[in-house]
Amino acid sequence: MVQTSANPIISELRDRIQHLEGPVVRPKAVLPFGVREIDERLPSGGLAYGAVHEFAGGGAGAIDGAAAALFAAGVAARTKGKVVWCLARPDLFAPALAQVGLHPDRVIYVEAVREEYVLESFEEALRFGGLGAVVAELVRLPMVASRRLQLAAESSGTIGLIVRRWRRPTEAGDFGHPTAAASRWRISVLPSEPLPVPGIGRARWLAELIRVKAGESADFVVGACDGQGRISISSDAADGSGQTRRSVHTG
């Protein structure tokens, strides 16, 4: 029996049908923080997969910026699979990521000489699929670029985490511009938790949820990520600082 090649008319018809049906609808999934006060403020109880989320330091300084990076690393640590981290400045401290649960054997670093290439690498990794998370360090995030990244995340179901980093204080104002990110967070360093005896307690952050789709803004005083990437509401609530509060910020 002689096998004939596939009919080109049928192949074209299949392509048209697939185009009309649109992209494959993936089930919505979320990555919960495991903290009731935070998860109940997020749609479906966690950070959405197949979406992009933004994190920035509460100030323009390096300390708050490092806290934002560790907060995002803690999120990535709680996913399953390899994590691609795209950056333009080779100053990421791998042992610090390991302390919040993101171990070196899980991370694939993509170093680019320009921020435009960081964006390209981030988008390509998001579209690739099969990854635990994709992280990018960016100074600016124009609305058009953020929409494209959001569509890339939706196409694969991968969670995208953008850490906004400033080279100079004047660049921090760019975070006030709107983007298509599903959620936007601002992380600031607070004094560590007090101990009953002299010593250094667990680091604390002010985590401000300044924007979330289908949800309300809020802020939380949290204990920094532990070795599994988990945060907790601060135990120091004598002055009410451990309680969830409405944020005065908008994004």
Side-chain angles (χ1 to χ4, degrees):
M1 180 183 293
V2 178
Q3 291 185 338
T4 58
S5 58
N7 192 321
I9 297 176
I10 295 176
S11 297
E12 184 182 351
L13 229 98
R14 284 174 180 161
D15 291 340
R16 288 185 180 181
I17 292 171
Q18 187 176 4
H19 177 73
L20 290 171
E21 288 177 343
V24 177
V25 178
R26 298 176 182 274
K28 293 291 183 181
V30 298
L31 177 67
F33 282 95
V35 179
R36 178 183 56 81
E37 294 90 337
I38 299 177
D39 289 338
E40 67 184 7
R41 292 294 187 125
L42 299 170
S44 303
L47 294 179
Y49 280 97
V52 171
H53 306 272
E54 276 186 88
F55 308 87
I63 295 177
D64 286 343
L70 290 176
F71 189 91
V75 173
R78 291 184 289 107
T79 65
K80 295 181 180 179
K82 293 290 185 180
V83 173
V84 172
W85 197 298
C86 309
L87 68 166
R89 287 182 283 176
D91 58 356
L92 194 63
F93 192 52
L97 301 187
Q99 286 184 345
V100 298
L102 188 55
H103 296 282
D105 59 351
R106 288 189 59 199
V107 184
I108 301 170
Y109 298 101
V110 178
E111 234 178 88
V113 295
R114 297 172 59 183
E115 185 157 301
E116 297 93 315
Y117 301 150
V118 173
L119 267 172
E120 291 175 7
S121 301
F122 184 53
E123 181 177 355
E124 186 174 346
L126 283 175
R127 292 190 185 281
F128 179 78
L131 298 167
V134 184
V135 187
E137 298 181 11
L138 297 171
V139 175
R140 294 180 177 86
L141 183 62
M143 174 60 85
V144 173
S146 69
R147 285 174 176 163
R148 193 173 64 245
L149 296 172
Q150 177 65 25
L151 289 173
E154 290 175 3
S155 69
S156 66
T158 303
I159 190 168
L161 310 174
I162 297 177
V163 180
R164 304 294 296 275
R165 293 191 62 185
W166 328 122
R167 288 185 294 261
R168 53 190 68 89
T170 54
E171 293 174 336
D174 190 74
F175 191 62
H177 297 164
T179 70
S183 72
R184 307 184 81 189
W185 299 78
R186 185 157 40 203
I187 311 298
S188 305
V189 173
L190 297 175
S192 60
E193 291 184 352
L195 295 175
V197 294
I200 300 176
R202 183 176 181 178
R204 289 193 307 168
W205 299 329
L206 172 63
E208 299 173 84
L209 175 59
I210 61 176
R211 180 182 178 275
V212 60
K213 289 182 178 178
E216 295 184 356
S217 59
D219 57 80
F220 316 89
V221 176
V222 301
C225 296
D226 63 13
Q228 285 76 45
R230 299 172 301 193
I231 58 174
S232 62
I233 292 294
S234 174
S235 60
D236 181 25
D239 60 351
S241 62
Q243 302 300 315
T244 303
R245 306 185 298 276
R246 282 293 302 274
S247 174
V248 297
H249 303 284
T250 58

